[in-house]
Amino acid sequence: MTMIEAIRDAHDVAMAADDRVVVFGEDVGFFGGVFRCTAGLQEKYGKSRCFDAPINESGIVGTAIGMAAYGLKPVIEIQFADYVYPAYDQIASEAARLRHRSNGDFTCPLVIRMPTGGGIFGGQTHSQSPEALFTHVSGLKVVLPSNPIDAKGLLLSAVADPDPVIFLEPKRLYNGPFDGHHDKPLTSWKNHPLGDVPDGDNAIPLGKATITRDGADVTVLAYGTMVYVAEAAAEETGVDAEIIDLRSLLPLDLDAISASVRKTGRCVIVHEATRTSGFGAELMSLVQETCFYHLEAPVIRVTGWDTPYPHAQEWEYFPGPARVGEALKKVMED
Amino acid sequence: MTSAYEPLSLNVPEPGCRPGDTPDFSDFEIPRAGDVKRPPVDVDPDAIRDMAFSIVRVLNKEGEAVGDWAGDMSAAELREGLRHMMVLRTFDARMLTAQRQGKTSFYMQHLGEEAVSCAFARALQPGDMNFPTYRQAGLLVASGYPMLTMMNQIYSNAEDPLHGRQLPILYSSKEHGFFSVSGNLGTQFVQSVGWAMASAISGDTKIATGWIGDGSTAENDFHAAMVFASTYKAPVVLNIVNNQWAISTFQGIARGGVGTFAARGHGFGIASLRVDGNDYLAVHAVAKWAAERARRGCGPTLIEHVTYRAGGHSTSDDPSVYRSRREAAAWPLGDPLERLKTHLITIGEWSEERHAQAEAEILAEVTAVQKQAEAVGTLGDGKAPSPRDMFEGVYETMPPHLVRQRQEAGY
């Protein structure tokens, strides 16, 4: 199963189990979404449970908040994470705070899905990684799966969650894992163990990281596409890296992070998003706060540059295996 | 090089009157009470386009209720309505003073606008949901929400149902159909449409109401609400309270070149009308019409309540700096309490004596409740909810990082 099919399957399972789950967004109804993540849902569940929305992200999130307050469980799609900014006020000022400000009188169980990240020649309007804009807001949860099994399991947990969840889908991984070697042939989820998605309701709890590669020398903290880039970098440099796929940025599995860093004594943080005030800054602070006396070397970040996401220069911007590999070697030398 | 054109200049609208000027509302067209006909609730929005440029009015200068929109309330209901407005005005006066005395940080009153929310509340049914702004406490007063709880919230004391988390007057009561007031402007207008859509998705018969001020109609959320309400024919009543002033900015800055705020509904095919917001009977009749329309699946209605903010925007505002002190008295639609009182006297259902007696009773009641609330506590007197509480309810289950921060804070 591809990640797209896994996400569609999660919708299907959730909608079949609970009439209150409604799905809407731009092009998600009849067409099934520009990435096809909601294909067939309208036909199966009817137009009142899966429908097209006007091109107004603020309106999509705003109406979904009203629906959640009524008692429905909206699962909405923002067509690209790059388009979420008009909805930011509704997310940060409204959805995130409703439970707290009303002391639980009203709540907002809501999932806001959006494709994130680059690697598809999407230029500056189809490539951004805005996760830190959401982890900075109290009241939100932020989830970012890296494979079909996790995408389905984490989306099911997000739908079941009583609070608003930002669900970021690395679009470069929709059809297959990608390690940053853009000049090599595409790989598919077909025959990949992580594409072997179980049937039914196999929810994966939010807030739990997973170790995708055991290692002794350095801990790599990554999520989304960068998990595969880090794996490639470890193989190519021969550095025995332990790679942690965070999966959920908020809540964050700090126990898994600090246990690994205390073991390895070294840490490299990798994300696609711009560096300054990126989520890597938070990770670095937490590593410093919890593991300082176990560190053998300064923590290194490998990230997108602090520029708009470029078009023609995509692979110079994208933190690929060469850059991550250099960081692995450097952290071992320091 | 000479240009064939004159240099362009920017148009910045100005109100008719500034401090020191003589208020002049001669441009403000006011139809006679009873002139605007009442269409059937399933009317095609196109057939009533003229209603967005007129004003539904019931009470005439003599205090009589006239025309199609009159006659849907009994004398007992009207006396109750008058009482609600008097309670709200008295409550406001006491709380305004309490703020000046340092018992709370902030307050916003309804002076001159009491009819809008008090009358509207009486047109709804249990289970309907209002998405109010900060100036619709009449929705609570008129639906039996305890005044003591309102004051506890204003004082952020130990019995504040919101545990001191929210600014004064940003109440929340699901039980009373009053959605948690955000404090951000315009955001809730579109949420009301979503709530109404959810009612339709669920096959329910409940309706929602959205509220927004004249100034905030300029927000993107207004447009979003109108698009979604129009597309999905949501069972919602969308209310614009045009009280002429958005803090210091007169309504012409948000309204721009269009004739009225209600006329904005035309582009969306939404039934749109204006009502005399200082006429309790007219507001109630229009609200009932629009609510019925929504409940029957005939679609949304946009109502512009034409009123006047006689007081400051909030306790942080001094309106004498930007508008004439005499403007409120010159406002041609008068005072909502006086008008309903006059009507009840005119029809023989009220008197000056009964009014004076009611005023005294209400003042005694509000004062007594205030004493009760202040005995529980006022802001800053050390009896506020525990700081430990601010960490609660951010999420249903407190995540580990918040537990750590709460411990770090010493709670």
Side-chain angles (χ1 to χ4, degrees):
Chain A
M1 208 181 261
T2 65
M3 198 190 246
I4 290 166
E5 290 161 341
I7 289 163
R8 200 211 76 89
D9 190 34
H11 280 91
D12 193 6
V13 169
M15 291 177 88
D18 188 348
D19 284 348
R20 294 173 301 165
V21 177
V22 294
V23 175
F24 65 104
E26 294 154 18
D27 300 303
V28 310
F30 185 83
F31 181 50
V34 295
F35 288 102
R36 321 295 298 137
C37 290
T38 57
L41 297 176
Q42 184 176 76
E43 194 180 7
K44 186 165 179 183
Y45 295 100
K47 278 165 70 175
S48 67
R49 291 189 61 203
C50 178
F51 53 90
D52 290 328
I55 303 176
N56 188 315
E57 291 76 15
S58 170
I60 291 169
V61 177
T63 50
I65 292 168
M67 290 179 199
Y70 175 91
L72 298 185
K73 297 179 117 184
V75 181
I76 56 174
E77 177 175 303
I78 300 295
Q79 197 159 78
F80 284 87
D82 314 65
Y83 302 168
V84 76
Y85 305 114
Y88 196 71
D89 190 28
Q90 288 287 349
I91 296 171
S93 311
E94 303 287 333
R97 296 192 209 142
L98 185 55
R99 175 189 293 280
H100 190 259
R101 79 170 193 238
S102 72
N103 192 24
D105 197 22
F106 294 93
T107 59
C108 193
L110 164 66
V111 181
I112 306 176
R113 295 177 39 244
M114 58 191 99
T116 188
I120 62 156
F121 278 100
Q124 57 183 278
T125 51
H126 306 82
S127 306
Q128 293 167 52
S129 297
E131 63 271 13
L133 294 176
F134 300 111
T135 56
H136 195 56
V137 177
S138 60
L140 299 178
K141 294 182 179 177
V142 182
V143 178
L144 206 150
S146 68
N147 62 71
I149 291 177
D150 283 358
K152 179 179 174 185
L154 292 168
L155 184 53
L156 284 168
S157 287
V159 176
D161 199 274
D163 288 303
V165 179
I166 305 294
F167 196 84
L168 296 151
E169 301 165 2
K171 66 177 90 68
R172 190 61 176 83
L173 302 181
Y174 269 153
N175 290 304
F178 176 65
D179 65 8
H181 287 296
H182 54 92
D183 44 355
K184 289 187 181 166
L186 294 173
T187 50
S188 147
W189 288 116
K190 199 183 264 183
N191 304 323
H192 192 289
L194 293 170
D196 189 14
V197 179
D199 287 338
D201 187 357
N202 285 279
I204 295 171
L206 308 184
K208 294 287 172 206
T210 183
I211 294 172
T212 68
R213 185 190 191 280
D214 288 314
D217 291 346
V218 49
T219 300
V220 179
L221 304 179
Y223 46 91
T225 313
M226 290 302 121
V227 170
Y228 304 97
V229 173
E231 285 172 354
E235 297 309 319
E236 288 156 21
T237 56
V239 173
D240 189 18
E242 178 149 293
I243 298 171
I244 298 185
D245 178 358
L246 298 174
R247 303 200 289 191
S248 163
L249 307 187
L250 206 151
L252 182 70
D253 193 348
L254 184 58
D255 291 343
I257 294 170
S258 38
S260 176
V261 175
R262 284 169 191 230
K263 181 181 80 177
T264 62
R266 290 181 164 84
C267 183
V268 171
I269 296 163
V270 193
H271 62 60
E272 239 184 294
T274 49
R275 179 172 302 174
T276 302
S277 305
F279 193 65
E282 179 63 27
L283 291 172
M284 191 178 278
S285 297
L286 289 169
V287 167
Q288 187 275 133
E289 286 166 15
T290 58
C291 309
F292 182 80
Y293 294 108
H294 296 78
L295 287 174
E296 306 284 343
V299 181
I300 298 179
R301 280 181 290 179
V302 187
T303 69
W305 307 118
D306 285 352
T307 70
Y309 204 110
H311 182 232
Q313 303 86 351
E314 174 137 43
W315 304 117
E316 286 72 37
Y317 176 94
F318 187 91
R323 278 174 59 200
V324 177
E326 280 168 36
L328 292 177
K329 285 188 270 179
K330 181 166 192 315
V331 82
M332 293 311 297
E333 288 160 11
D334 281 346
Chain B
M1 279 263 290
T2 56
S3 168
Y5 302 99
E6 293 294 315
L8 291 162
S9 64
L10 188 71
N11 175 57
V12 181
E14 272 295 319
C17 141
R18 288 291 193 188
D21 297 342
T22 301
D24 177 12
F25 288 103
S26 56
D27 286 348
F28 179 37
E29 285 180 38
I30 306 169
R32 282 183 313 170
D35 271 6
V36 178
K37 301 293 173 226
R38 179 179 186 142
V41 293
D42 60 353
V43 69
D44 183 339
D46 259 355
I48 57 164
R49 287 173 73 92
D50 57 328
M51 289 182 77
F53 300 101
S54 192
I55 301 177
V56 174
R57 305 181 68 229
V58 170
L59 294 174
N60 67 16
K61 276 185 186 148
E62 287 69 43
E64 298 156 335
V66 296
D68 286 357
W69 297 87
D72 75 337
M73 294 187 93
S74 69
E77 287 172 324
L78 290 175
R79 276 194 300 269
E80 195 185 11
L82 179 63
R83 186 184 151 78
H84 291 148
M85 293 198 287
M86 292 167 76
V87 166
L88 183 56
R89 186 167 289 187
T90 307
F91 183 95
D92 277 346
R94 300 290 304 183
M95 290 297 98
L96 199 66
T97 303
Q99 189 275 341
R100 297 299 187 215
Q101 291 167 337
K103 293 172 181 169
T104 188
S105 59
F106 178 78
Y107 193 73
M108 300 178 94
Q109 59 171 335
H110 302 73
L111 191 64
E113 299 177 43
E114 291 90 346
V116 174
S117 52
C118 288
F120 201 98
R122 306 302 288 175
L124 297 174
Q125 292 185 4
D128 293 342
M129 187 59 69
N130 293 286
F131 287 72
T133 77
Y134 41 69
R135 223 185 297 278
Q136 272 91 49
L139 295 170
L140 286 173
V141 169
S143 56
Y145 190 70
M147 227 190 304
L148 178 61
T149 314
M150 291 170 73
M151 288 184 184
N152 287 336
Q153 196 279 332
I154 290 163
Y155 289 144
S156 293
N157 66 22
E159 287 176 24
D160 169 7
L162 306 184
H163 292 196
R165 294 172 187 171
Q166 188 55 301
L167 268 179
I169 72 151
L170 302 184
Y171 314 102
S172 173
S173 177
K174 191 180 209 169
E175 190 190 341
H176 292 80
F178 194 93
F179 188 76
S180 155
V181 184
S182 160
N184 275 21
L185 299 182
T187 47
Q188 302 192 218
F189 211 52
V190 66
Q191 292 165 12
S192 74
V193 177
W195 197 98
M197 287 169 67
S199 178
I201 289 168
S202 308
D204 204 342
T205 57
K206 300 188 188 90
I207 66 165
T209 75
W211 295 84
I212 202 165
D214 47 279
S216 302
T217 60
E219 291 277 11
N220 303 328
D221 291 308
F222 175 80
H223 174 82
M226 298 295 280
V227 173
F228 279 71
S230 170
T231 298
Y232 303 107
K233 220 174 165 184
V236 64
V237 183
L238 294 167
N239 296 280
I240 303 167
V241 181
N242 176 4
N243 67 8
Q244 312 301 318
W245 291 93
I247 306 187
S248 74
T249 307
F250 93 110
Q251 44 101 0
I253 295 289
R255 182 169 46 76
V258 73
T260 68
F261 288 101
R264 298 229 193 271
H266 289 163
F268 299 91
I270 291 177
S272 304
L273 54 93
R274 296 167 93 207
V275 63
D276 178 345
N278 290 15
D279 179 338
Y280 185 93
L281 284 82
V283 171
H284 181 266
V286 161
K288 211 165 172 187
W289 182 87
E292 182 69 11
R293 186 177 162 78
R295 214 179 301 279
R296 283 201 202 171
C298 302
T301 303
L302 179 68
I303 301 174
E304 177 185 343
H305 301 259
V306 183
T307 183
Y308 187 85
R309 193 194 78 210
H313 166 73
S314 72
T315 46
S316 308
D317 181 37
D318 174 8
S320 71
V321 178
Y322 52 80
R323 70 183 191 191
S324 166
R325 288 176 194 276
R326 289 175 293 161
E327 199 180 80
W331 172 244
L333 296 178
D335 178 78
L337 269 74
E338 285 302 315
R339 286 175 67 192
L340 183 55
K341 174 189 159 194
T342 304
H343 171 62
L344 280 165
I345 292 174
T346 304
I347 61 173
E349 293 286 348
W350 199 240
S351 66
E352 290 292 353
E353 296 71 33
R354 288 176 77 180
H355 193 80
Q357 192 188 342
E359 271 183 337
E361 283 168 8
I362 288 167
L363 180 60
E365 184 193 343
V366 175
T367 309
V369 174
Q370 188 180 2
K371 277 191 184 139
Q372 259 183 286
E374 291 181 4
V376 179
T378 57
L379 183 69
D381 69 359
K383 295 185 204 162
S386 160
R388 181 188 166 92
D389 180 80
M390 73 182 155
F391 295 94
E392 302 286 346
V394 182
Y395 301 88
E396 187 184 71
T397 306
M398 195 179 295
H401 73 286
L402 268 184
V403 175
R404 288 193 298 271
Q405 288 177 30
R406 192 191 68 200
Q407 288 164 349
E408 182 186 333
Y411 307 108

